[in-house]
Amino acid sequence: MLLTIVGVLVLAVIIVLVVASTRPDTFRVERSGSIAAPPEKVFALIEDFHKWPSWSPWEHLDPDMKRTYGGADKGKGATYAWQGNAKAGEGRMEIVEATPSSRVLIKIDFSKPFEAHNQVDFAIQSEGNATRVVWSMTGPQAFMMKVMCLFMSMDNMVGKDFEKGLASLKTVAEQA
């Protein structure tokens, strides 16, 4: 009986590992929203890390979070590092491209709670009297992450934060 249970468990582990090995080597999470404000106003809120506390979904996870700004004041070359509690984690962002009123590309490096190196892209486009913002994050998916993603969805976890952030960005941008 014990041998049968061990055999079933080993087979289950092998199946999980084989299925995980077939998963893509990269991930992508994307959400979009429409904001009743000009692209210039939306762009200004995204390209300046000093303005992120007004709309970012992660800024209020730790009231004692330490923030460090560096490089350029805003736009290409601006950096932002944070150290927070277990929820906020620790990491650093750098704007690597800022095309006025249309795109902000950010290199983001997480060091806690786990190490990850990803790219965040904000595509901003005029849409009649509104602005469409497409917020995406892409990055490599190591084997252990592939295994974890069999049991939990990166898209659901991060996507919810993106939705919350876009709603806050909309509120802030639409204020008079």
Side-chain angles (χ1 to χ4, degrees), residues 72-94:
D73 286 341
K74 62 183 178 182
K76 185 176 181 177
T79 64
Y80 170 69
W82 72 95
Q83 289 181 315
N85 60 20
K87 287 182 181 179
E90 185 175 326
R92 181 182 186 274
M93 296 189 289
E94 179 178 353

Side-chain angles (χ1 to χ4, degrees), residues 106-128:
I106 300 169
K107 178 181 176 256
I108 184 166
D109 298 305
F110 299 97
S111 51
K112 289 183 183 176
F114 54 86
E115 186 174 346
H117 307 282
N118 301 322
Q119 181 173 297
V120 172
D121 191 354
F122 289 91
I124 304 160
Q125 183 177 354
S126 182
E127 192 176 73

Side-chain angles (χ1 to χ4, degrees), residues 151-171:
F151 303 100
M152 57 188 207
S153 168
M154 178 80 115
D155 187 76
N156 285 341
M157 290 185 327
V158 177
K160 288 178 184 176
D161 289 335
F162 282 14
E163 291 165 9
K164 189 175 172 183
L166 286 168
S168 293
L169 183 62
K170 177 180 176 69
T171 299

